[in-house]
Amino acid sequence: MKFSAYSGKALGQRTNCLVVGVFEPRELGSEARAVDRAVGGRLGALLRSGDFAGRAGESLLLPGLPGLRGSRLLLVGLGSAAQYQRRGWKRALTTAVAALARTRIASANFALERPNDRALDDYTLARAAAECCGAALYRINDLKTSKRPPAPALARASFGPFAAARLAEARRGLVDGASVAASAALVRNLGNLPGNICTPRYLAAQAGQLARAHRAVRVRVLNEAQIRRLKMGCLLAVTRGSAEPPRFIVLEYRGARRGAAPVVLVGKGITFDSGGISIKDSNAMDEMKYDMCGAATVLGAIDLAARLKLRLNVVGLVASCENMPGGRAIKPGDIVTSAAGQTVEILNTDAEGRLILCDALHYARRFRPAAVIDIATLTGACVVALGAHHTGIMGNDEELAQELVAAGRRADDRGWQLPLTEEYGEQLKTNFADVANVAGRDGGAITAAAFLGRFTKGMKWAHLDIAGTAWLSGAAKSATGRPLGLLADFLISRARA
Ligand code: BES
Ligand code: MN
Ligand code: ZN
């Protein structure tokens, strides 16, 4: 898909289809009014006839009218003008792209009303437009053998009008947004793959692909013997019940000088979480193929850093294995030694994410990171607390946590901070080891973070619990690509600072 931005009049642009918005109830947006004048009031007449109300989600494709340059006109509902904010604008854009994707239209000029948000600069708006188009055109990488519907013809999208002085900024936003969309598609594709295809070895092969695609990316993949040499007793404990071999993946993106402290991203890569001996209920257990979405996000973020050539060093660490029951599997009550040397009593084998992450977080130390951020589908408790709307943000550094919250807000991929205070860690005490891996139901998202916090002392660390945000359940079951948008904004902002 090719994106472009223009200034001046929307009506003057060459396009197959001009896209304009209508507010509810039946009120033309400013660009639509210009169109209406050009076509002799026919749009106004159409609205008066009651055929188009301007509701959010509504669209109507009209043939070209005398006075218009394009061969088609697409009307899109913007909802009520009073509530037309960023979400409404995105909804309208998504509706328009979905409608166009069902036609043979190859180029469109999106002249939608700008959302009511003074803080929204043209770079961010344009980046969001490109990201939104990419997301709307995403098709699930299914394994259906029936004939696929033809790919959408839409190949060129222009956006405007922008003020002439802002055009360069808008163009940068479109370029960056197209990259974010491409990396997000990678995250979604990996998430959607089934556990029998997307194994730890598959993730390692994908990391190898990134290193081949980008000169600034280097990869190292550690096998089980090498993991043993690093004394990652917790990762080894989780993988014991599985016939699939584990992998520990180290990706390095070099965008700044050699000595510059990197941002280290750590991903949970459980390619299937059955719960192990503390086995899960069968209900929706298939969704535990998504338990590697943190790892997928780390691969996506490295891909994005390389696409955007960010002036920043970024390290991606992925701890990956399956969590399965079996004769060799870990049992409740087993005690193992983590890479950091702390002993851990595994009271529940289903709390495996924190086990593989504590060894990966310990490995992060060797990079002397400017910040460490782990990304994990860690707890059902986080889904109970925040639903599918906010990623849970916790950590040991207030500034870093707030930086991530702000990035999520700008990217419309929001996170919410939960209070990781000392009390939560006390719930992890046990008579038998340095720490237990579970602490009862109450505050479950935070006690999981408290466990990780024991391994991040002295580093600026944040934890993103994406159990609620990484995928959608039910009829819309599919990976969302979140929180790549949040991390993209975070990394872009850091690279500029
Ligand atoms: N991968 C799950 C977390 C999860 C559950 C994500 C449901 C999305 C939806 C994680 O490994 C897990 O099983 N966590 C347990 C922890 C508990 C045993 C303390 C949970 O949340 O139930
Ligand atoms: Mn689990
Ligand atoms: Zn899990």
Side-chain angles (χ1 to χ4, degrees), residues 19-65:
V19 184
V20 293
V22 176
F23 286 114
E24 185 180 11
R26 306 195 187 89
E27 182 197 324
L28 295 169
S30 60
E31 295 303 325
R33 277 200 298 278
V35 172
D36 191 41
R37 282 193 295 275
V39 300
R42 288 183 197 202
L43 284 193
L46 176 83
L47 298 194
R48 280 190 299 278
S49 75
D51 291 344
F52 193 82
R55 276 186 297 272
E58 209 180 350
S59 70
L60 183 64
L61 183 64
L62 300 169
L65 299 169

Side-chain angles (χ1 to χ4, degrees), residues 12 21 51 64 73 84 101 113 147 152-153 161 171 230 233 259 266 302 324 332 336 339 416 434 497:
D51 291 344
L73 180 69
Y84 185 63
E113 226 60 20
K147 217 165 128 225
R171 286 187 176 134
L230 289 168
V266 177
I302 294 286
M324 298 291 277
V336 299
W416 196 261
D434 294 337

